[in-house]
Amino acid sequence: MITYTDISKRYNDVTVVDKLNLTINDGEFVVLIGPSGCGKTTTLKMINRLVRMDEGTIHIDNEDIMDVDAVELRRKIGYVIQQIGLFPNMTIEENISVVPKLLKWNKEKCRQRVYELLTLVNMPYEENAKKYPNQLSGGQQQRIGVLRALAGEPPIILMDEPFGALDPITRESLQDEFKTLQKKLHKTIIFVTHDMDEAVKMADRIVFMSKGKILQVASPEEMLDKPADPIISSFMGKRSTPRHYNELTCADVMRTKVLIVPETKKTLECIALMKQRDLNTCVVVDMEDKFKGVVTIENIKEHGKPGEEISGIVDTGIETVQVNTNAKNAFDKLNQTNADYLVVLDHNKMVSGIITKSSMTKALASVVWGDAN
Ligand SMILES: Nc1ncnc2c1ncn2[C@@H]1O[C@H](COP(=O)(O)OP(=O)(O)OP(=O)(O)O)[C@@H](O)[C@H]1O
Ligand SMILES: [Mg+2]
């Protein structure tokens, strides 16, 4: 467990980390995110003492890090940065073995470890171990950077925008790979990014920082659902997929399988159609296919006469919304009017669908949590 207690850091009288308190559990994947200059890197580097705090304490498993020899401390903490920092004049094998050698592992154990790690990321030992960094692609180099951090089997790994310099496709495949790796390794990981897509994808918990302070600590779902500050919402808005529910329209949340009947339909026919489809309501349109209202089975039973058209008993007081209306507004309307459903119309007053509370909930859930199926 890593515990920050009232940690502050100043540079030339400017406070860049301000009384920060945070606990990170063993095996947890925590992502620090926030605007440039908010203090993420500084917060990260205080753990391995690359930066010294001015106030407060950091404990790792109840031990104050200032009581531990700095070199000793760093051997237990893997560190991956954006600029990779592989040694250009060392082979891949030598690069990965830096910490194992410091730990005085014998040659065979070092080789074994390199073999095992390269296998983990599908870069076979035979093909890659003797190469130099400049013989690898950017994505491969970054993989080696990650492997080097893992080599000495540290329980904690710090990662500062490790995939930030990669093209989107390589970046995404490394994210997937690393996420899978983490499921096997159960390291405690603190990962810095300013990409909300990456944070949501990777994190158990997201820590949102701004101006040296923590604005919110929450699971990705929780942060998505209840951003604690407008600046967090704006970060969420920059995500590419999945969309945030603020951006959904009625078209995204309506049900399109709706029974639509012309007002000339006879009452008994109409009941038969509803029964066939296990519905108790149908939407009624006029001769130009424009929305008129609805009828329910109860409606017909009470007021309708056999053999008559339904046109005389259509309930025209039904709430409607436009198909491009923001879904949240529709949801509010559904709640405020206490209606069971809203009929969704296009700009020609033709019926596009209906929104019920359950169609809305399903659509929102699939946006927040991905498609459950
Ligand atoms: N060695 C230093 N000397 C003076 N100021 C510094 C130093 N290191 C960082 N700062 C300042 O501290 C603040 C926080 O920096 P930090 O690198 O932690 O931000 P960050 O959140 O990692 O930003 P980015 O997303 O751009 O990497 C910034 O205003 C930065 O200019
Ligand atoms: Mg930084």
Side-chain angles (χ1 to χ4, degrees), residues 278-298:
D278 206 18
L279 296 168
N280 62 5
T281 310
C282 61
V283 177
V284 182
V285 295
D286 65 15
M287 295 318 289
E288 290 170 320
D289 278 342
K290 292 190 197 298
F291 175 70
K292 180 144 186 192
V294 303
V295 291
T296 62
I297 291 188
E298 293 77 49

Side-chain angles (χ1 to χ4, degrees), residues 311-361:
S311 57
I313 55 169
V314 175
D315 179 358
T316 52
I318 295 297
E319 297 290 343
T320 61
V321 280
Q322 285 288 315
V323 69
N324 57 0
T325 304
N326 183 286
K328 183 168 183 318
N329 295 346
F331 193 56
D332 290 343
K333 190 166 185 177
L334 201 54
N335 281 325
Q336 281 155 16
T337 58
N338 229 343
D340 292 329
Y341 53 87
L342 304 172
V343 177
V344 185
L345 303 180
D346 69 10
H347 60 281
N348 287 322
K349 285 192 78 182
M350 312 260 252
V351 179
S352 303
I354 62 167
I355 292 178
T356 62
K357 279 180 186 158
S358 86
S359 73
M360 179 77 84
T361 312

